[in-house]
Amino acid sequence: MVSLRCATAHQSLLGPPTCLARPQRPACPIAVEAVAQSKDSDLALAQARETRDKLKAAHSELAEEGAVKIVIIKTTGDMVLDKPLADIGGKGLFTKEIDDALLQGRIDIAVHSMKDVPTYLPEGTILPCNLRREDARDAFICLTANSLAELPSGCVVGSASLRRQSQILCRYPSLKVVNLRGNVQTRLTKLKNGDVHATLLALAGLKRLNMAENVTSILSMEEMLPAVAQGAIGIACRSNDDKMMEYLSSLNHEDTRSAVACEREFLTVLDGNCRTPIAAYAHRDKDGSCSFRGLLASPDGSKVYETTKTGPYSFDDMVEMGKDAGHELKAKARPGFYGCLQWKE
């Protein structure tokens, strides 16, 4: 992961403005994923730089040279790439080291891909800010076909996501899905080397890396519902750090925050983890209302339950919408369905 460090992070809130304009120490750390073998994650860095640039644009005191510093923090999830994420502890492995650094005061702000953030936050931390969401759809990448539907029977699709696996196998049971982890460049290299016939990647990440030219086609929401909070960046800080919360509140995009909260509440009710294929997407429709769709599936795609809901586009209403959707699918899936999933203990 990467971090940003704001020079003003520990200065008195009562100090004169000149204290902010002339920071006396290096700035506040923001944390994001880094990659194994000492090769930093380009996507993590891109997200940290985006956050840094927004902070500088919104607060003149942070535009000073050295006022915001990016700090790289490697996480277990980044370093263990030869096993499925579910087998080594789940998505929390992308945030634990970052959370520790934040609570210990080694960084002041943590930048996360929201889809990697567990539904709980460590005590002493708060996530008050979501940047404007990027396109949440998945991208299909292949050298021989234009879509999943065009892949011949027996073709191998590489993906580490059970969410993608279950939806692919539900619609195209003749295809084979194998585990494929690593950063974007690693996955594209394996595709070019013929390790797999095709792969799926989040379009948001490709756009942030300026690598959208690699996209063969974009999957519709109907064909591939995204991961909870896919395309959204979340920024956390310590819950007692009023200055950082003030900085972050100026960057928050409320529509995104409400949509992410709706989807995460859905995930929380279903007690989802990395062994649980769950997908969800909430957005503002053409009438200004919130339109939500959620999905719960078995890993092999043989059983899929879905729900759609519409309601007011307001934070509290959308949290309740996500909660109701989760309870609906939990009820639909009983009895017997939970036996095919390995729920969090």
Side-chain angles (χ1 to χ4, degrees):
M1 284 228 161
V2 181
S3 318
L4 296 186
R5 195 173 176 97
C6 281
T8 57
H10 300 296
Q11 292 172 352
S12 169
L13 299 182
L14 302 179
T18 53
C19 291
L20 298 180
R22 292 185 175 84
Q24 298 301 307
R25 70 174 188 83
C28 73
I30 295 186
V32 196
E33 299 106 323
V35 190
Q37 286 112 28
S38 299
K39 182 177 180 181
D40 304 328
S41 167
D42 290 339
L43 180 56
L45 286 166
Q47 293 180 163
R49 288 168 181 154
E50 179 180 347
T51 303
R52 176 198 61 193
D53 293 346
K54 288 182 181 296
L55 282 169
K56 287 186 171 187
H59 302 280
S60 59
E61 65 270 25
L62 298 182
E64 293 278 328
E65 184 67 29
V68 182
K69 178 184 177 184
I70 294 178
V71 178
I72 294 169
I73 298 177
K74 296 187 184 298
T75 69
T76 304
D78 293 314
M79 292 184 281
V80 182
L81 299 177
D82 59 344
K83 298 178 181 178
L85 187 59
D87 292 347
I88 59 173
K91 62 175 64 178
L93 293 180
F94 285 110
T95 59
K96 183 181 184 303
E97 288 86 350
I98 307 302
D99 294 333
D100 290 345
L102 188 59
L103 289 169
Q104 293 164 12
R106 291 187 283 120
I107 61 172
D108 301 304
I109 307 173
V111 180
H112 297 292
S113 292
M114 281 304 301
K115 68 182 181 63
D116 293 331
V117 178
T119 52
Y120 59 88
L121 295 176
E123 186 176 354
T125 68
I126 188 171
L127 208 160
C129 174
N130 289 120
L131 302 185
R132 181 187 288 271
R133 192 177 202 171
E134 189 36 283
D135 195 319
R137 292 176 295 176
D138 277 330
F140 174 76
I141 304 176
C142 182
L143 303 179
T144 59
N146 293 317
S147 66
L148 284 166
E150 290 184 14
L151 288 174
S153 176
C155 278
V156 177
V157 180
S159 175
S161 163
L162 286 183
R163 168 190 65 86
R164 290 175 177 139
Q165 172 183 306
S166 64
Q167 292 184 77
I168 291 171
L169 295 178
C170 176
R171 292 171 175 80
Y172 310 103
S174 66
L175 299 178
K176 180 180 179 181
V177 184
V178 300
N179 184 57
L180 184 68
R181 291 192 59 212
N183 63 20
V184 172
Q185 291 85 348
T186 297
R187 298 187 201 194
L188 292 178
T189 297
K190 290 182 177 181
L191 173 66
K192 291 174 182 176
N193 290 342
D195 295 357
V196 295
H197 296 104
T199 190
L200 304 185
L201 293 171
L203 181 59
L206 293 168
K207 285 188 170 185
R208 289 184 176 122
L209 290 169
N210 295 314
M211 296 179 65
E213 72 276 5
N214 291 284
V215 175
T216 304
S217 61
I218 299 173
L219 280 69
S220 69
M221 291 290 182
E222 288 69 33
E223 185 173 11
M224 182 63 59
L225 199 62
V228 165
Q230 183 161 304
I233 294 174
I235 311 175
C237 65
R238 290 180 292 278
S239 55
N240 62 356
D241 195 335
D242 292 339
K243 175 53 70 176
M244 287 300 103
M245 281 193 276
E246 179 186 333
Y247 282 146
L248 296 182
S249 66
S250 68
L251 304 187
N252 182 57
H253 186 255
E254 192 58 27
D255 269 18
T256 297
R257 177 173 172 266
S258 297
V260 166
C262 177
E263 295 167 23
R264 283 170 61 82
E265 193 65 31
F266 173 73
L267 184 65
T268 298
V269 169
L270 291 174
D271 199 19
N273 61 28
C274 288
R275 293 187 184 276
T276 312
I278 293 173
Y281 184 58
H283 68 285
R284 189 185 290 274
D285 63 23
K286 58 181 173 47
D287 298 320
S289 300
C290 174
S291 179
F292 173 86
R293 180 174 162 227
L295 175 151
L296 169 67
S298 59
D300 64 2
S302 61
K303 297 179 180 179
V304 177
Y305 296 94
E306 295 187 53
T307 183
T308 58
K309 293 189 177 297
T310 304
Y313 206 104
S314 70
F315 185 89
D316 291 341
D317 288 320
M318 290 167 69
V319 166
E320 287 303 311
M321 184 186 297
K323 185 182 298 184
D324 290 346
H327 284 301
E328 178 186 329
L329 290 196
K330 206 165 188 177
K332 281 183 178 179
R334 291 182 183 277
F337 182 70
Y338 290 167
C340 71
L341 299 175
Q342 299 183 48
W343 298 90
K344 184 168 60 181
E345 297 178 359

